[in-house]
């Protein structure tokens, strides 16, 4: 491993000489065992529980009354339900990207981030996957999308991108879960061994699967970890490409273009990194993990954000260029509608939030300032939400025949589900931070060790 | 410090995991069985009727033709339930005082229909047509079973979509000659497939169209 | 499905009759529980796919929470009860087969001959009577809606006395006593207010009644009507006449505000004639019909005109005078001054008319002053049109002016206390009387008032007695079409709500409460029709040889005709028109018609004040602003609609809305233009002012955008030219293999040159396919459910645009995006080329609709199909599934008709032919613009139309290969044509 690591990499971790490893373990394991920030945690947890309540109410009302309670119409059959699916699954991307891709490319600084990034991935992907169910006209028949032997002797319609997406989502969530759990095992063991009370001992013990840290364990673990990483790698590309095809396959102007798969994937990683940055900075300050999530981390994340941001910007340009270059009057019409039509604030909101503040990251000082970085990341997250909204709604509301043009206004229940799902995300993230090692201890140790023997 | 788990824990854990995996598979299989089961499809159900009418007695015993009572079966979508009038055409002569037939006599007396319970009840979005099935050569017993052996009429087929399709996708084994349509004891002969296919060719029956959704759903 | 719903409905009726007042509805619910009713509504409808009860629901609930492998879509509900009939069914047809009765419904007294399709005693669909000369299978939109009107639960349910539920026995009692006083003085002070009718029986009864009561006076009132045209006939020819246009013989028609093709009793008649001629013009050589229109507010006629000129309504008399002077020989008044522009087109039209003597027609709107119309009639006579394009015959409508007094006279007498008893038959003057008459105040002075009608309407509210009338589909009667041909109306179902036919009510007045309408009608025809002839007449739906006798050798009375004084041209003019969807308000409680997009605005559930873009800019008005119109001391508040093609200083108001008492659907929406109407000038008010009030009013339209952009969905060709194919129109390559259609390939071709945008197809489709109506709010959101929509576009200068109509059903693409998008195989391609939509398989992802370039798919956002009252569900067509919530639906080319035809063909051992099937929209189209058939059969109309040089497909360049295609509109405005 060490041999393969990149030469003369600048040091990331600065830990007290001598007992680096103990400090790491103590700092991280302290969180689940004797929890430092009880008050703040409770406040945040109750807040998110309220939002979760909103989700339950909205969903109950939706299922009892029907999709009509949303703002969807003909022609805008798909409202923010679908645009949010795209948004959530996009956020979910950074997890796998950081875990798998950076692992295989030996970017050790990732080791401080992958744990909670993966947790974020799981939750975001779950939100994304649940949205299509809410949006079905007859949700109780959702399983007809799944191929299984049935008394109707029918299969799904395999040409449909929805069926592809079902597989993509299912695979993605499963693999991410496995990957995340495998990564957790050694740390669960570490927490188990530090636990003093019986209950945590048993619980962590069970999920640690009897890990004793023997060489055999480590050898097998390493093999499994890399193996799953290799499996997960294509998913980084496949999932969001699949989602993009849901649109690109339709002949609707503004959808029917070949740039969509890369465009979506890059946008996804972009938004994902933004959310990772927000979480990283929050945890760093909440639990004073300054030694584990260092300024260097923030800087690297900033650079990634800048890079993926520009790739996304390229997507915008390509999209607009093709609309003009195709000479197709409908494509041009849709482009003009986006620039100056009823939804112009959405389009320009996306452009401004995504790319303008981003440029500050060219300079080192904003990159190192957690505050500036946090603001930029937040704006990007919002900007990407605008973008998804723009892609879905402004594609549909005016397609071909002037006679079938329409409009779209989300109702309270649209928003109820959306913020409810954000609540769902936060709710479980709070639980994760509270009860699991939010940062990967042993991997940081590994990184530290390698750094020291590297310099 | 004391051990948290005793030595056997690992084994149990492994067993538990295996059980979990096996359980999922089992659930899947069980589900499949359940939804094909008679309890769910209603095969064998025989709702209680106002009059304990016995097809066995009337068909096997007295040899009455199906069409004597179900007189529209060759003309229309529904086979048609006999009017009280038809029952009374015999029962005004025989069993005139039988207590079991009281409801029939009452029906005629008060001009009140007899409230039979449906045995074959298809979902409302399924448009089944008796006449065209007979025309194509599907006999009564193919779907209704040996009615002549039913003291109380029961549902002889699962009536699942898969069951319908099994014939719509390959009708040949089930198509009879017009002469045999109402024969309760009809059995496919060794040359059934050829005969069936010949019939399909003669009537222009194409499975391609038979198994198209809009054949039954509108 | 064996049983006798007739009897069950009758039983239900009996129960209903027992009920009084508010209890009624509750008890209807109870009845709905009763098996009999469940049977009439449930088992009768093959179609209910609404969620079923029982095990299935439990499992659904489970399914929603966890994924259950192998769970089938449909399980088994509790078994239904079946009720076979008791008597020998030998005489009846199979109950699950439709039965058709040739009968008619009436509109402004005129018969609309129909074949009523009934299932087990329930009428569910009306087809035009193909054998009838005045229908040939076509009907208008109003006729299609009659079925829903029949099942309207807000219809009057029982006689009322002073608003309280009463019974027929009490009503009869009251009549007997009332008659005693009447007979004492020969009916002195007794007045009868009727709507003009064409029913011979009604006329016979009333005349008999007058024998009994010589002093009884008859008054006739029709809020829209044609009384001014009758007056014109008297002026021009000195005698009452029925006048009728024969457009099939016209080469040139100049219409001055006469909405020939627009809604009205003669619409179908005119559409048949116009289209026959217009279609003839499509073949090389034959001369088409040229239509020149001058009007103040856009109409369907103006939309289809070859030249359309915008003039204020008040200018029409002057134009007529000048035309008369140019064409006539004698008796024309001094021609007034015209503007240069007016002189230009008037003279050119005059010369065209002159050039086509014998096949020309000068038509003037029936709302214009009698003198003006008389002048035009005389011009036609002098051009020798009588008996050619202008048919004069003995009057068809009765009573005319000589037989009956007017509403004004009645009001005067009532106010003067000269009226002791008033009987209102069918009419609703409390709502429809012009505001300045103050009818209701006068009405209060009448000591004894009785009203008979379909609804407990405004007038019923002001009368002591109200009697429920039976619907035309429930009763025996007779009526005549515009050409006078008589039809015997026979009931298709027993009266649902215990109403009695108008004839029975008149018999009641005549002291014969036991007479039944069948005998009454039969008596009228006994001397003319023996029993065989009677049966034959019933079978074919009309009495042959009863067309009104033409009146030959009409000599135009030489008496000079003076024009009425032209209204002052300062201020605005307000023209009042019947509403294109609910007419004079009689259809206000019919949800189908309320939701029927008005032909040009596509507005639903409201009436508006049409103003021109110029006026809107001038007064700072925008569509949706509530404006106030003041004219003298009268004032009118209503939402503004900016209508291109409207005369600059003309405001159009529509009748029919603002109803206070009709039913849950129709009351309390829109403004009441009757209150604003003046009895002396009912159609035109001059010198008005309009001002914004600052309020806004939500308007629900199905088509917010009417301008054609650079892409032209409606394509035009200059006459005789061929449509040059767009470059992209060669079929693009496709990833998917082509379908082959070995047997039949259904296709539809819609001729945009014949479509007059009359909406008949929209309602025919709605009635045939159980399409629900969704209400104003849902329409406003863009959730209308019509499977077939008629797009209305305008093009060119917004002040003087051209109008185009384009019916858009499902295109049934061969490379259908919807089929690719659907994840569960609910949108599938059939071997005969349809895109079938399988409702019970649909899970509602709406991908199909997102991918559909034509946006013809409709989604059940809520449980739209669930009827407000159980009885309403009785109009559902049992051959078509009623769609549940969360399911996508769309045009199916009337797949139930195809399936039925296929089965029938197989049963009769013959191959299915394209001609065996006709869709509801094609069947009803009065101009045969919609053609449907087998594309593979080269001889079929469709196949031939597809070879036409005007043939094109909508959005062909997408490569979806639509099989609903169009024939381009012929427009000789070269600059507007593409060619």
């Amino acid at each position: 491993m060490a041999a393969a690591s990149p030469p003369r990499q600048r040091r990331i971790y600065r830990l007290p000489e001598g007992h680096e490893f103990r400090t790491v373990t103590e700092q991280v394991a302290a969180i689940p065992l004797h929890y430092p920030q009880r008050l703040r945690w409770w406040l945040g947890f109750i807040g998110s529980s309220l939002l979760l309540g909103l989700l339950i109410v909205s969903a109950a009302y939706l299922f009892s009354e029907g999709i009509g309670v949303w703002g969807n119409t003909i022609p805008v059959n798909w409202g923010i339900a679908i645009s949010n699916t795209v948004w959530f699954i996009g956020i979910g991307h950074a997890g796998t990207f950081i875990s798998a891709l950076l692992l295989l490319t030996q970017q050790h600084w990732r080791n401080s981030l992958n744990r909670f990034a993966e947790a974020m991935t799981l939750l975001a992907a779950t939100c994304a996957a649940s949205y299509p169910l809410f949006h079905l006209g007859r949700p109780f028949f959702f399983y007809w999308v799944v191929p299984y032997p049935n008394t109707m002797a029918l299969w799904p319609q395999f040409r449909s991108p929805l069926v592809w997406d079902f597989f993509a989502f299912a695979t993605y969530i499963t693999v991410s879960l496995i990957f995340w759990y495998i990564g957790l095992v050694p740390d669960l063991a570490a927490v188990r061994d530090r636990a003093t009370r019986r209950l945590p001992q048993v619980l962590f013990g069970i999920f640690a699967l009897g890990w004793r840290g023997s060489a055999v364990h480590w050898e097998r673990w390493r093999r499994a970890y890399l193996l799953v990483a290799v499996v997960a790698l294509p998913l980084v590309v496949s999932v969001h490409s699949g989602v993009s095809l849901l649109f690109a396959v339709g002949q609707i102007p503004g959808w029917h273009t070949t740039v969509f798969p890369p465009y979506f994937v890059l946008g996804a990683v972009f938004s994902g990194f933004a959310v990772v940055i927000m979480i990283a900075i929050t945890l760093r300050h909440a639990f004073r993990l300054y030694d584990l999530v260092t300024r260097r981390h923030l800087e690297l994340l900033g650079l990634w954000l800048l890079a993926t941001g520009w790739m996304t910007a390229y997507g915008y340009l390509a999209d607009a260029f093709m609309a003009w270059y195709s000479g197709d009057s409908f494509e041009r019409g849709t482009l003009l509608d986006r620039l100056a039509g009823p939804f112009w604030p959405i389009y320009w909101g996306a452009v401004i939030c995504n790319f303008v503040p981003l440029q500050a990251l060219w300079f080192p000082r904003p990159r190192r300032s957690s505050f500036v970085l946090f603001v930029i990341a937040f704006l990007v997250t919002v900007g990407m939400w605008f973008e998804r909204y723009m892609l879905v709604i402004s594609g549909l509301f005016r397609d071909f025949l002037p006679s079938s043009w329409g409009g779209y206004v989300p109702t309270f229940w649209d928003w109820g589900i959306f913020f409810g799902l954000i609540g769902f995300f936060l709710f479980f993230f709070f639980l994760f931070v509270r009860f699991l090692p939010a940062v990967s201890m042993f991997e940081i140790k590994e990184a530290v060790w390698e750094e020291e023997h590297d310099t | 410090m004391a051990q948290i788990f005793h030595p056997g824990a690992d084994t149990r854990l492994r067993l538990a995991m295996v059980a979990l995996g096996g359980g999922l598979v089992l659930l899947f299989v069980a589900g499949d069985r359940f939804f094909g089961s008679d309890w769910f499809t209603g095969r064998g159900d025989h709702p209680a009727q106002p009059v304990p009418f016995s097809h066995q007695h009337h068909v096997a015993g007295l040899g009455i033709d199906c069409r004597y009572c179900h007189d529209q079966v060759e003309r229309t979508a529904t086979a048609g339930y006999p009017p009280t009038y038809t029952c009374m055409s015999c029962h005004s002569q025989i069993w005139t005082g039988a207590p079991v037939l009281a409801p029939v006599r009452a029906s005629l007396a008060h001009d009140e229909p007899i409230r039979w319970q449906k045995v074959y009840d298809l979902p409302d979005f399924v448009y089944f047509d008796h006449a065209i099935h007979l025309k194509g050569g599907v006999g009564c017993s193919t779907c209704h079973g040996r009615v002549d052996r039913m003291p109380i009429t029961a549902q002889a087929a699962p009536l699942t979509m898969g069951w319908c399709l099994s014939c719509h996708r390959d009708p040949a084994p089930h198509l009879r000659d017009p002469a045999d349509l109402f024969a309760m004891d009809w059995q496919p002969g060794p040359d059934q497939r050829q005969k069936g296919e010949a019939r399909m060719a003669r009537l222009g029956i194409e499975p391609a169209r038979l198994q198209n959704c809009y054949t039954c759903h509108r | 499905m064996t049983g006798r719903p007739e009897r069950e409905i009758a039983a239900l009726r009996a129960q209903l009759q027992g009920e009084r007042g508010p209890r009624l509805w509750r008890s209807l619910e109870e009845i709905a529980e009763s098996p009999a009713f469940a049977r009439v509504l449930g088992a009768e409808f093959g179609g209910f796919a609404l969620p079923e009860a029982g095990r299935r629901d439990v499992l659904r609930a489970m399914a929603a929470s966890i994924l259950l492998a192998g769970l089938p879509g449909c399980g088994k509900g509790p078994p239904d009860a079946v009720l076979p009939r008791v008597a020998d069914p030998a005489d009846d047809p199979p109950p699950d087969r439709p039965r058709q009765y040739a009968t008619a419904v009436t509109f402004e007294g005129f018969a609309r001959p129909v074949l009523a399709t009934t299932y087990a005693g329930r009428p569910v669909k009306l087809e035009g009577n193909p054998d009838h000369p005045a229908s040939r299978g076509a009907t208008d939109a109003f006729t299609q809606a009659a079925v829903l009107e029949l099942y309207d639960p807000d219809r009057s349910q029982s006689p009322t006395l002073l608003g309280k539920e009463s019974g027929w026995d009490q009503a009869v009692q009251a009549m007997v006593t009332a008659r005693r006083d009447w007979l004492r003085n020969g009916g002195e002070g007794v007045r009868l207010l009727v709507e003009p009718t064409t029913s011979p029986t009604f006329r016979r009864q009333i005349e008999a009644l007058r024998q009994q009561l010589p002093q009884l006076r008859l008054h006739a009132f029709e809020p829209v009507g044609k009384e001014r045209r009758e007056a014109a006939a008297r002026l021009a020819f000195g005698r009452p006449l029925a006048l009728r246009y024969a457009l099939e013989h016209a080469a040139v028609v100049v219409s001055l505000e006469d909405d020939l093709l627009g809604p009205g009793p003669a619409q179908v008649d005119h559409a048949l004639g116009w289209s026959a001629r217009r279609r003839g013009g499509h073949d090389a050589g034959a001369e088409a019909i040229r239509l020149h229109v001058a009007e103040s507010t856009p109409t369907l006629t103006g939309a289809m005109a070859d030249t359309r000129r915008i003039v204020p309504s008040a200018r029409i008399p002057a134009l007529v005078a000048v035309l008369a002077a140019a064409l006539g020989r004698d008796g024309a008044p001094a021609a007034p001054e015209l503007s240069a522009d007016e002189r230009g087109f008037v003279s050119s039209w005059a010369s065209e008319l002159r050039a086509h003597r014998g096949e020309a027609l000068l038509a003037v709107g029936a709302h214009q002053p009698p003198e003006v119309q008389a002048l035009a009639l005389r011009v036609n006579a002098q051009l020798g049109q009588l008996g050619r394009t202008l048919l004069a015959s003995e009057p068809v409508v009765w009573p005319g002016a000589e037989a009956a007094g007017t509403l004004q006279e009645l009001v005067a007498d009532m106010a003067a206390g000269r009226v002791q008893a008033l009987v209102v038959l069918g009419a609703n003057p409390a709502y429809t009387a012009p505001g300045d008459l103050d009818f209701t105040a006068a009405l209060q002075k009448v000591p004894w008032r009785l009203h008979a009608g379909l609804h407990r309407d405004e007038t019923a509210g002001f009368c002591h007695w109200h009697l429920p009338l039976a619907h035309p589909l429930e009763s025996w009667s007779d009526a005549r079409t515009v050409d006078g041909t008589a039809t015997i109306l026979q009931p298709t179902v027993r009266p649902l709500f215990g109403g009695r036919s108008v004839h029975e009510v008149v018999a009641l007045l005549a002291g014969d409460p036991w007479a039944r309408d069948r005998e009454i009608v039969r008596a009228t025809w006994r001397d003319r029709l023996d029993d065989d002839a009677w049966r034959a007449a019933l079978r074919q739906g009309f009495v042959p040889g009863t067309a009104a006798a033409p009146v030959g050798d009409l000599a135009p009375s030489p008496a000079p005709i003076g024009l009425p004084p032209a209204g002052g041209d300062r201020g605005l003019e307000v023209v009042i028109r019947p509403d294109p969807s609910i007419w004079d308000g009689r259809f206000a409680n019919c949800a189908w018609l309320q939701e029927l997009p008005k032909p040009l605005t596509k507005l639903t559930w409201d009436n508006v004040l049409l103003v021109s873009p110029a006026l809107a800019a001038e007064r700072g008005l925008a569509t949706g602003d509530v404006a106030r119109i003041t004219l003298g001391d009268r004032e009118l508040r209503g939402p503004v609609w900016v209508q291109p093609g409207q005369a600059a200083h003309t405001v159009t108001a529509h009748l029919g809305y603002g109803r206070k008492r009709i039913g849950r659907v129709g009351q309390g929406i829109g403004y009441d233009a009757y209150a604003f109407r003046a009895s002396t000038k009912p159609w035109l008010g001059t010198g008005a002012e309009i001002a914004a009030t600052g309020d806004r009013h939500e308007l629900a339209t199905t088509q917010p955008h009417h301008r054609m952009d650079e892409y032209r969905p409606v394509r035009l060709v200059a006459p005789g030219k061929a449509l040059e194919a767009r470059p992209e129109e060669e079929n693009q390559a496709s990833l998917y293999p082509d379908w082959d259609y070995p047997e039949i390939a259904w296709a539809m071709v819609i001729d945009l040159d014949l479509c007059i945008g009359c909406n008949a197809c929209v309602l025919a489709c709605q009635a045939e396919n159980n399409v629900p109506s969704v209400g104003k709010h849902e329409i406003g959101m863009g959730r209308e459910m019509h499977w077939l929509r008629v797009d209305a576009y305008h093009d060119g200068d917004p002040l003087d645009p051209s109008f185009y109509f384009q019916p858009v059903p499902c295109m049934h693409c061969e490379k259908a995006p919807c089929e690719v998008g659907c994840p569960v195989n609910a949108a599938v391609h059939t071997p005969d080329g349809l895109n079938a939509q399988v409702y019970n398989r649909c899970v509602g992802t709406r991908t199909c609709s997102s991918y559909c370039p034509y946006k013809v798919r409709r989604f059940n956002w809520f449980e739209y199909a669930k009827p407000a009252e159980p009885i309403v569900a009785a109009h559902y067509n049992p051959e078509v599934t009623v769609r549940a919530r969360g399911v996508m639906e769309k045009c199916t080319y009337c797949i139930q008709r195809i399936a039925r035809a296929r089965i029938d063909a197989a049963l009769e051992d013959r191959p299915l032919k394209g001609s065996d099937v006709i869709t509801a929209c094609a069947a009803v189209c009065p101009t045969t613009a919609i053609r449907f058939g087998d594309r593979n059969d080269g001889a079929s109309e469709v196949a031939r139309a597809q070879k036409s040089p005007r043939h094109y497909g909508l959005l062909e360049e997408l490569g979806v290969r639509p099989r609903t295609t169009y024939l381009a509109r012929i427009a000789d405005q070269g600059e507007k044509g593409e060619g």
Side-chain angles (χ1 to χ4, degrees), chain B:
Chain B
M1 63 188 210
Q3 289 295 328
I4 306 170
F5 300 100
H6 64 76
D10 275 6
T11 337
R12 291 199 190 167
L13 188 65
R14 296 202 179 84
L15 289 176
M17 287 168 130
V18 175
L20 191 69
L24 284 172
V25 178
L26 231 76
L27 184 70
F28 191 88
V29 177
D32 192 30
R33 289 269 153 283
F34 170 75
F35 293 110
S37 69
D38 291 353
W39 181 83
F40 183 77
T41 62
R43 177 130 131 268
D45 285 7
H46 40 74
Q49 302 292 0
V51 181
F53 178 84
S54 163
H55 276 93
Q56 182 179 38
H57 169 64
H58 288 80
V59 179
L62 306 174
I64 300 175
D65 185 286
C66 309
R67 287 160 292 182
Y68 183 81
C69 301
H70 305 288
D71 56 342
Q72 296 158 0
V73 72
E74 286 171 302
R75 295 189 295 156
T76 73
T78 54
Y81 287 72
T84 313
Y85 174 92
T86 311
C87 311
M88 293 309 276
S89 57
C90 296
H91 287 293
S92 55
Q93 316 298 327
I94 54 172
W95 295 106
T96 47
V100 284
L101 296 181
V104 184
R105 293 189 296 270
S107 156
L108 190 72
H110 309 123
D111 190 26
E112 281 289 330
I114 305 174
R115 196 170 293 281
W116 299 103
Q117 296 301 309
K118 266 192 175 183
V119 179
Y120 279 61
D121 189 12
L122 293 176
D124 295 331
F125 46 74
V126 176
Y127 287 81
F128 178 86
D129 191 298
H130 275 90
I132 196 64
H133 281 81
L134 284 169
K135 181 76 185 180
V138 182
C140 307
S141 60
T142 306
C143 306
H144 293 283
R146 294 300 300 269
V147 172
D148 61 333
R149 295 180 183 167
M150 293 185 191
I152 302 265
T153 318
Q155 178 182 329
L159 300 184
T160 59
M161 182 167 158
W163 172 78
C164 298
L165 276 173
S166 64
C167 182
H168 274 219
R169 284 175 174 159
D170 177 22
H174 308 278
L175 301 187
R176 325 177 178 181
D177 296 337
D180 308 335
L181 284 176
F182 300 92
M184 277 296 137
D185 53 0
W186 179 81
Q187 290 300 336
D191 59 344
Q192 173 54 30
R193 179 154 286 281
Q194 296 84 313
K195 284 168 77 179
E197 272 157 5
R199 185 163 184 76
M200 286 166 68
R202 190 160 67 259
L203 295 174
I205 299 173
E206 301 146 13
R209 196 168 66 241
L210 281 189
Q211 58 180 296
N212 194 286
C213 309
Y214 85 138
T215 308
C216 311
H217 304 301
R218 303 171 193 165

Side-chain angles (χ1 to χ4, degrees), chain C residues 319-598:
Chain C
L319 298 184
V320 177
V322 173
L323 273 171
L327 295 166
R329 285 188 296 276
D330 46 12
E337 218 19 66
L338 293 190
S339 72
D341 170 52
E342 289 171 331
R343 230 179 289 113
F345 66 79
V346 168
S347 57
S348 76
W349 290 355
S351 49
E352 249 189 274
L353 287 173
R354 201 183 294 103
H356 289 84
R357 295 182 158 277
E359 46 177 13
L361 178 64
L362 173 60
V364 173
H367 54 273
Q368 286 290 336
E371 299 82 0
V372 182
Q373 298 187 53
L375 208 49
L377 292 176
R378 184 185 291 181
V379 168
N380 283 316
Q382 286 162 347
L383 285 174
Q385 306 310 348
L386 280 173
R388 293 207 178 83
T389 59
L390 179 65
L391 307 180
S393 67
E394 293 302 334
V396 174
V397 176
W398 183 88
E402 53 291 316
T406 65
L407 184 69
Q408 286 85 337
E409 293 160 9
L410 176 62
V411 172
D413 291 356
M414 291 196 301
R418 286 192 290 272
V419 180
Q420 302 316 314
L422 175 68
V423 174
V424 183
L425 290 179
N428 180 19
Y431 166 67
T432 56
D436 60 351
L437 283 185
D438 201 359
F439 176 88
T440 51
L443 183 62
Q444 316 280 359
K445 294 207 172 70
V446 180
W448 194 92
R449 316 187 283 272
L450 179 144
H451 168 263
L454 276 181
H455 290 90
R456 284 183 198 149
D457 53 23
E458 293 83 349
T459 310
F462 284 101
C463 291
H464 302 105
W465 276 99
H466 161 77
L467 307 180
L469 285 185
H471 190 274
L473 290 170
E474 292 173 328
S475 46
W476 288 91
S477 182
D478 49 10
R480 309 169 70 184
T481 47
V482 279
D483 70 338
T485 307
T487 292
I488 311 287
L489 278 66
Q490 50 179 332
T492 57
V493 61
R494 308 230 189 111
L496 294 165
F497 303 121
R500 290 196 187 181
S501 84
V502 68
H503 303 300
E504 290 173 337
V505 172
V506 177
L508 191 55
L509 298 177
D512 181 6
W514 293 279
R516 284 292 153 259
D517 49 5
R518 189 182 188 289
E519 284 65 39
I520 299 169
V521 176
R522 183 73 185 95
T524 312
W525 294 92
R526 180 149 288 118
D527 49 359
R528 188 187 171 114
L529 301 175
D530 61 24
D531 287 354
D532 299 340
W534 168 261
R535 271 193 295 277
L538 286 179
R539 217 178 297 110
Q540 66 184 134
F542 59 94
V543 187
T546 44
V551 180
D553 58 29
L554 274 173
S557 61
I561 298 172
L563 284 185
D569 48 10
R570 47 157 201 81
L572 308 172
E573 66 172 16
V574 182
V575 301
I576 294 176
R577 296 282 183 272
D579 184 89
S581 291
I582 66 168
W583 198 241
D584 58 3
R586 72 184 63 202
F587 301 118
N589 211 52
C590 177
W592 284 355
L593 288 170
Q594 286 282 8
E595 200 156 304
L596 183 64
K598 307 190 197 295

Side-chain angles (χ1 to χ4, degrees), chain A residues 63-75 77-78 135-138 140-144 148-149 151-152 154-157 159-163 246 250-252 329-330 332 396 399-405, chain C residues 60 63 70-73 703 705 709-711 736 781-783 789 791 793 817 819-825 839-847 849-853 855 857-858 861-862 885-887 954-955 958 960:
Chain A
F63 287 139
S64 65
E65 292 301 303
I67 292 298
V69 302
W70 283 357
N72 301 39
T73 68
I74 308 288
N77 311 273
W78 291 346
H135 133 113
L136 283 187
R138 302 203 291 174
F140 37 78
F141 287 141
F142 71 95
Y143 54 86
W144 284 352
Y148 66 94
T151 54
M152 292 174 289
L154 280 182
W155 291 117
Q157 202 274 104
R159 291 180 303 168
S160 164
L162 269 84
V163 178
L246 177 57
Q251 282 179 307
I252 301 305
S329 60
F330 298 115
R332 251 189 283 110
L396 278 173
D399 54 356
F400 293 100
L401 300 177
S403 61
S404 56
W405 290 1
Chain C
R60 281 229 190 86
L71 181 55
Q703 186 186 345
H705 191 95
D709 291 352
E710 74 219 76
Y711 181 80
Y736 300 111
M781 286 188 76
R783 292 172 173 180
R789 63 173 197 257
D791 291 344
Y793 294 104
E819 293 168 9
V820 177
C822 178
V824 293
N825 271 317
Y839 312 119
N840 45 300
R841 177 67 175 173
C842 177
V843 297
T845 69
R846 307 193 285 291
T847 316
S849 179
S850 291
Y851 285 6
C852 176
K855 291 291 177 283
R857 292 175 157 266
R858 300 289 179 239
W861 302 98
F862 290 114
R885 186 184 93 192
V887 168
L954 194 55
L955 293 171
L958 296 180
V960 295

